Protein backbone atom coordinates (compact mmCIF):
# COMPACT_ATOMS: atom_id res chain seq x y z
CA UNK A 1 0.00 0.00 0.00
CA UNK A 2 1.35 3.45 -0.89
CA UNK A 3 2.15 5.96 1.85
CA UNK A 4 -0.73 8.29 0.97
CA UNK A 5 -3.19 5.43 0.60
CA UNK A 6 -2.16 4.04 3.99
CA UNK A 7 -2.86 7.39 5.64
CA UNK A 8 -6.27 7.58 3.99
CA UNK A 9 -7.05 4.02 5.05
CA UNK A 10 -6.31 4.92 8.67
CA UNK A 11 -8.49 8.01 8.47
CA UNK A 12 -11.55 7.02 6.45
CA UNK A 13 -13.14 4.39 8.71
CA UNK A 14 -13.03 6.70 11.71
CA UNK A 15 -14.99 9.48 10.02
CA UNK A 16 -18.64 9.83 9.31
CA UNK A 17 -20.31 12.37 7.05
CA UNK A 18 -21.46 15.64 8.52
CA UNK A 19 -22.88 18.68 6.77
CA UNK A 20 -21.39 19.41 3.35
CA UNK A 21 -19.39 22.43 4.53
CA UNK A 22 -18.16 20.80 7.73
CA UNK A 23 -17.11 17.70 5.81
CA UNK A 24 -15.16 19.75 3.26
CA UNK A 25 -13.40 21.69 6.00
CA UNK A 26 -12.61 18.48 7.82
CA UNK A 27 -11.03 16.93 4.74
CA UNK A 28 -8.97 20.06 4.03
CA UNK A 29 -7.78 20.12 7.64
CA UNK A 30 -6.84 16.44 7.49
CA UNK A 31 -4.67 16.93 4.41
CA UNK A 32 -3.06 20.05 5.87
CA UNK A 33 -1.95 18.03 8.88
CA UNK A 34 0.11 15.74 6.65
CA UNK A 35 2.80 18.38 6.04
CA UNK A 36 5.03 20.34 8.40
CA UNK A 37 4.98 24.10 8.81
CA UNK A 38 2.22 26.67 8.61
CA UNK A 39 3.10 27.96 5.10
CA UNK A 40 3.02 24.46 3.63
CA UNK A 41 -0.23 23.66 5.42
CA UNK A 42 -1.79 26.81 4.01
CA UNK A 43 -0.55 25.83 0.55
CA UNK A 44 -2.05 22.35 0.88
CA UNK A 45 -5.41 23.67 2.09
CA UNK A 46 -5.42 26.26 -0.70
CA UNK A 47 -4.70 23.63 -3.35
CA UNK A 48 -7.54 21.50 -2.01
CA UNK A 49 -9.89 24.48 -2.13
CA UNK A 50 -8.88 25.30 -5.72
CA UNK A 51 -9.47 21.69 -6.76
CA UNK A 52 -12.95 21.82 -5.25
CA UNK A 53 -13.74 25.10 -7.03
CA UNK A 54 -12.47 23.62 -10.30
CA UNK A 55 -14.62 20.54 -9.72
CA UNK A 56 -17.73 22.64 -9.17
CA UNK A 57 -17.06 24.55 -12.39
CA UNK A 58 -16.73 21.31 -14.36
CA UNK A 59 -19.89 19.99 -12.67
CA UNK A 60 -21.74 23.05 -13.93
CA UNK A 61 -20.35 22.65 -17.44
CA UNK A 62 -21.32 18.98 -17.71
CA UNK A 63 -24.79 19.65 -16.29
CA UNK A 64 -25.34 21.81 -19.37
CA UNK A 65 -24.73 18.64 -21.38
CA UNK A 66 -27.16 16.63 -19.27
CA UNK A 67 -24.66 14.94 -16.94
CA UNK A 68 -25.35 15.60 -13.25
CA UNK A 69 -22.99 13.52 -11.11
CA UNK A 70 -22.28 15.79 -8.16
CA UNK A 71 -21.36 14.16 -4.87
CA UNK A 72 -20.38 12.83 -2.47
CA UNK A 73 -23.37 10.86 -1.20
CA UNK A 74 -23.04 8.37 1.64
CA UNK A 75 -25.57 5.66 2.48
CA UNK A 76 -23.92 4.53 5.70
CA UNK A 77 -21.73 5.71 8.56
CA UNK A 78 -17.99 5.07 8.64
CA UNK A 79 -18.08 2.90 11.74
CA UNK A 80 -15.97 0.07 10.35
CA UNK A 81 -18.96 -2.21 9.75
CA UNK A 82 -19.05 -1.80 5.96
CA UNK A 83 -16.50 -2.42 3.22
CA UNK A 84 -18.13 0.29 1.13
CA UNK A 85 -17.00 3.90 1.03
CA UNK A 86 -20.08 5.48 -0.57
CA UNK A 87 -20.48 7.58 -3.69
CA UNK A 88 -17.61 9.96 -4.34
CA UNK A 89 -17.32 10.99 -8.00
CA UNK A 90 -13.94 10.73 -9.71
CA UNK A 91 -12.38 14.21 -10.01
CA UNK A 92 -12.60 15.63 -13.52
CA UNK A 93 -8.93 16.63 -13.61
CA UNK A 94 -7.80 13.16 -12.56
CA UNK A 95 -10.02 11.43 -15.14
CA UNK A 96 -8.18 13.23 -17.91
CA UNK A 97 -4.88 11.99 -16.52
CA UNK A 98 -6.03 8.40 -16.05
CA UNK A 99 -7.75 8.19 -19.44
CA UNK A 100 -5.66 10.12 -21.99
CA UNK A 101 -6.68 10.10 -25.63
CA UNK A 102 -4.89 6.87 -26.56
CA UNK A 103 -5.64 4.86 -23.41
CA UNK A 104 -8.66 2.87 -24.63
CA UNK A 105 -8.89 1.03 -27.95
CA UNK A 106 -11.84 -0.05 -30.06
CA UNK A 107 -11.61 -3.63 -28.75
CA UNK A 108 -11.45 -2.67 -25.06
CA UNK A 109 -14.23 -3.42 -22.59
CA UNK A 110 -14.23 -1.21 -19.50
CA UNK A 111 -15.69 -2.41 -16.21
CA UNK A 112 -16.19 0.12 -13.42
CA UNK A 113 -16.92 -1.00 -9.88
CA UNK A 114 -18.84 1.48 -7.74
CA UNK A 115 -20.01 3.45 -10.76
CA UNK A 116 -22.39 5.64 -8.75
CA UNK A 117 -24.17 8.24 -10.84
CA UNK A 118 -22.32 7.35 -14.01
CA UNK A 119 -19.71 10.07 -14.33
CA UNK A 120 -16.95 7.79 -15.57
CA UNK A 121 -19.03 5.51 -17.79
CA UNK A 122 -20.84 8.35 -19.59
CA UNK A 123 -17.67 10.43 -19.90
CA UNK A 124 -15.66 7.49 -21.25
CA UNK A 125 -18.44 6.47 -23.64
CA UNK A 126 -18.52 10.02 -24.98
CA UNK A 127 -14.76 10.11 -25.65
CA UNK A 128 -13.70 6.61 -26.72
CA UNK A 129 -14.84 4.18 -29.42
CA UNK A 130 -14.37 1.16 -27.23
CA UNK A 131 -16.35 -2.06 -27.54
CA UNK A 132 -18.54 -1.54 -24.46
CA UNK A 133 -18.73 -0.16 -20.94
CA UNK A 134 -20.08 -1.98 -17.87
CA UNK A 135 -21.07 -0.18 -14.67
CA UNK A 136 -21.58 -2.11 -11.42
CA UNK A 137 -23.10 -0.64 -8.28
CA UNK A 138 -25.14 -1.94 -5.34
CA UNK A 139 -27.08 1.32 -4.88
CA UNK A 140 -30.31 1.30 -6.89
CA UNK A 141 -30.84 5.05 -6.57
CA UNK A 142 -27.38 5.84 -7.90
CA UNK A 143 -27.82 3.50 -10.84
CA UNK A 144 -31.17 5.08 -11.69
CA UNK A 145 -29.48 8.49 -11.75
CA UNK A 146 -26.70 7.05 -13.91
CA UNK A 147 -29.20 5.68 -16.42
CA UNK A 148 -30.95 9.05 -16.52
CA UNK A 149 -27.60 10.75 -17.09
CA UNK A 150 -26.89 8.50 -20.04
CA UNK A 151 -30.33 9.14 -21.53
CA UNK A 152 -30.06 12.89 -20.93
CA UNK A 153 -26.54 13.22 -22.34
CA UNK A 154 -26.65 15.81 -25.13
CA UNK A 155 -23.18 15.20 -26.49
CA UNK A 156 -21.79 12.57 -28.80
CA UNK A 157 -21.57 8.94 -27.70
CA UNK A 158 -18.67 7.15 -29.35
CA UNK A 159 -19.56 3.96 -27.48
CA UNK A 160 -23.27 3.16 -27.40
CA UNK A 161 -23.06 -0.16 -25.59
CA UNK A 162 -23.29 0.87 -21.93
CA UNK A 163 -24.63 -1.63 -19.40
CA UNK A 164 -25.66 -0.93 -15.81
CA UNK A 165 -25.60 -3.85 -13.38
CA UNK A 166 -27.46 -3.53 -10.08
CA UNK A 167 -25.50 -6.03 -8.05
CA UNK A 168 -23.08 -6.30 -5.18
CA UNK A 169 -19.51 -6.31 -6.42
CA UNK A 170 -18.66 -9.47 -4.45
CA UNK A 171 -21.36 -11.36 -6.37
CA UNK A 172 -20.81 -9.93 -9.85
CA UNK A 173 -19.45 -12.46 -12.36
CA UNK A 174 -16.88 -10.70 -14.52
CA UNK A 175 -17.56 -11.02 -18.26
CA UNK A 176 -14.76 -12.79 -20.06
CA UNK A 177 -14.14 -9.95 -22.52
CA UNK A 178 -13.34 -7.27 -19.91
CA UNK A 179 -9.90 -5.76 -20.59
CA UNK A 180 -9.84 -2.71 -18.29
CA UNK A 181 -11.12 -2.39 -14.72
CA UNK A 182 -11.52 0.95 -12.97
CA UNK A 183 -11.78 1.51 -9.22
CA UNK A 184 -12.06 4.78 -7.34
CA UNK A 185 -11.75 3.20 -3.90
CA UNK A 186 -15.37 1.95 -3.89
CA UNK A 187 -14.79 -0.74 -1.26
CA UNK A 188 -12.09 -2.48 0.74
CA UNK A 189 -11.70 -5.66 2.78
CA UNK A 190 -13.49 -8.90 1.99
CA UNK A 191 -15.52 -7.33 -0.82
CA UNK A 192 -12.34 -6.40 -2.68
CA UNK A 193 -10.90 -9.87 -2.16
CA UNK A 194 -14.07 -11.44 -3.56
CA UNK A 195 -13.82 -9.19 -6.60
CA UNK A 196 -10.27 -10.42 -7.16
CA UNK A 197 -11.55 -14.00 -7.06
CA UNK A 198 -14.07 -13.19 -9.79
CA UNK A 199 -11.41 -11.43 -11.87
CA UNK A 200 -9.15 -14.46 -11.51
CA UNK A 201 -11.95 -16.81 -12.55
CA UNK A 202 -12.62 -14.74 -15.66
CA UNK A 203 -8.91 -14.79 -16.57
CA UNK A 204 -8.84 -18.55 -16.08
CA UNK A 205 -11.77 -19.00 -18.47
CA UNK A 206 -10.31 -16.63 -21.05
CA UNK A 207 -6.58 -15.87 -20.59
CA UNK A 208 -5.83 -12.32 -21.68
CA UNK A 209 -4.16 -9.10 -20.63
CA UNK A 210 -6.17 -7.25 -18.02
CA UNK A 211 -5.41 -3.71 -16.91
CA UNK A 212 -6.52 -2.17 -13.63
CA UNK A 213 -6.70 1.58 -13.03
CA UNK A 214 -7.00 2.23 -9.30
CA UNK A 215 -7.53 5.71 -7.87
CA UNK A 216 -6.67 5.87 -4.15
CA UNK A 217 -5.36 2.28 -4.07
CA UNK A 218 -6.06 1.24 -0.50
CA UNK A 219 -6.04 -2.43 -1.52
CA UNK A 220 -2.75 -2.26 -3.41
CA UNK A 221 -1.21 -5.19 -1.54
CA UNK A 222 -4.16 -7.44 -2.40
CA UNK A 223 -3.72 -6.75 -6.12
CA UNK A 224 0.01 -7.44 -6.01
CA UNK A 225 -0.56 -10.64 -4.03
CA UNK A 226 -3.05 -11.72 -6.71
CA UNK A 227 -0.36 -11.48 -9.36
CA UNK A 228 -0.90 -7.99 -10.77
CA UNK A 229 2.19 -6.03 -11.76
CA UNK A 230 2.53 -2.31 -11.13
CA UNK A 231 2.86 -0.51 -14.46
CA UNK A 232 2.77 3.06 -13.26
CA UNK A 233 2.12 4.82 -9.97
CA UNK A 234 1.63 8.40 -8.89
CA UNK A 235 1.93 9.60 -5.30
CA UNK A 236 -0.29 12.54 -4.50
CA UNK A 237 -1.55 13.89 -1.21
CA UNK A 238 -5.12 14.07 -2.50
CA UNK A 239 -5.52 11.60 -5.35
CA UNK A 240 -2.81 8.90 -5.52
CA UNK A 241 -3.28 6.31 -8.23
CA UNK A 242 -1.67 3.17 -9.59
CA UNK A 243 -2.06 1.25 -12.83
CA UNK A 244 -1.62 -2.54 -12.90
CA UNK A 245 -1.52 -5.29 -15.48
CA UNK A 246 -1.74 -9.07 -15.55
CA UNK A 247 -1.55 -11.64 -18.32
Amino acid sequence: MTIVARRLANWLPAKKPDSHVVKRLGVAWYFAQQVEGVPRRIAVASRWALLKVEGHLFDGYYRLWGLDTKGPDFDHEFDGSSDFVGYVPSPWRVLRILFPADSLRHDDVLLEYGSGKGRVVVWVASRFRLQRVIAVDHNQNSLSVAQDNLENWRGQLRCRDVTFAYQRAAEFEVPDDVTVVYFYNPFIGETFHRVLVHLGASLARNPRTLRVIYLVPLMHDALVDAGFTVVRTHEDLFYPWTMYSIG
Side-chain angles (χ1 to χ4, degrees):
M1 185 183 296
T2 62
I3 295 173
V4 173
R6 187 178 294 109
R7 289 173 176 171
L8 288 170
N10 292 334
W11 177 77
L12 277 172
K15 297 290 180 179
K16 69 178 185 178
D18 207 324
S19 72
H20 183 73
V21 174
V22 171
K23 180 177 64 62
R24 292 292 190 195
L25 290 174
V27 173
W29 175 249
Y30 162 76
F31 283 121
Q33 298 306 300
Q34 307 308 308
V35 298
E36 298 292 335
V38 173
R40 292 186 66 196
R41 288 180 176 178
I42 292 174
V44 166
S46 298
R47 181 186 167 218
W48 176 257
L50 287 173
L51 286 172
K52 295 301 104 179
V53 170
E54 179 187 67
H56 285 307
L57 291 174
F58 273 109
D59 284 345
Y61 169 78
Y62 280 103
R63 275 197 296 273
L64 295 176
W65 289 90
L67 183 60
D68 188 354
T69 57
K70 62 185 177 182
D73 293 335
F74 300 102
D75 55 7
H76 65 278
E77 294 187 355
F78 295 120
D79 58 3
S81 63
S82 175
D83 289 344
F84 295 90
V85 174
Y87 172 65
V88 182
S90 299
W92 294 110
R93 175 188 289 267
V94 180
L95 279 182
R96 285 168 168 76
I97 295 171
L98 297 178
F99 294 97
D102 59 349
S103 60
L104 295 174
R105 305 180 302 270
H106 71 280
D107 56 346
D108 275 322
V109 174
L110 174 69
L111 167 61
E112 183 190 10
Y113 284 99
S115 54
K117 298 178 182 179
R119 172 175 296 189
V120 174
V121 294
V122 175
W123 184 81
V124 164
S126 73
R127 290 172 60 89
F128 297 95
R129 298 185 187 279
L130 67 170
Q131 186 173 335
R132 63 185 179 124
V133 181
I134 306 166
V136 179
D137 203 290
H138 73 284
N139 188 305
Q140 181 72 72
N141 292 333
S142 291
L143 276 184
S144 295
V145 173
Q147 290 172 316
D148 289 343
N149 277 322
L150 181 63
E151 293 174 3
N152 295 333
W153 176 247
R154 301 187 184 96
Q156 180 177 253
L157 278 179
R158 290 181 168 87
C159 173
R160 295 189 172 274
D161 190 348
V162 179
T163 303
F164 296 96
Y166 171 50
Q167 194 169 358
R168 288 194 170 274
E171 301 167 358
F172 180 74
E173 184 170 322
V174 177
D176 294 343
D177 58 350
V178 168
T179 57
V180 183
V181 178
Y182 177 68
F183 299 101
Y184 177 20
N185 185 34
F187 41 74
I188 56 175
E190 182 61 25
T191 298
F192 197 93
H193 287 289
R194 291 298 304 164
V195 166
L196 289 180
V197 170
H198 287 297
L199 289 174
S202 176
L203 289 170
R205 292 189 299 268
N206 178 30
R208 63 195 185 278
T209 298
L210 179 66
R211 291 185 289 150
V212 171
I213 302 171
Y214 195 175
L215 179 56
V216 188
L218 300 187
M219 298 296 291
H220 166 83
D221 291 347
L223 274 164
V224 173
D225 291 344
F228 286 84
T229 300
V230 173
V231 176
R232 186 180 175 192
T233 190
H234 173 71
E235 287 282 356
D236 183 80
L237 192 58
F238 303 137
Y239 301 114
W241 51 262
T242 302
M243 297 182 182
Y244 308 81
S245 181
I246 193 171

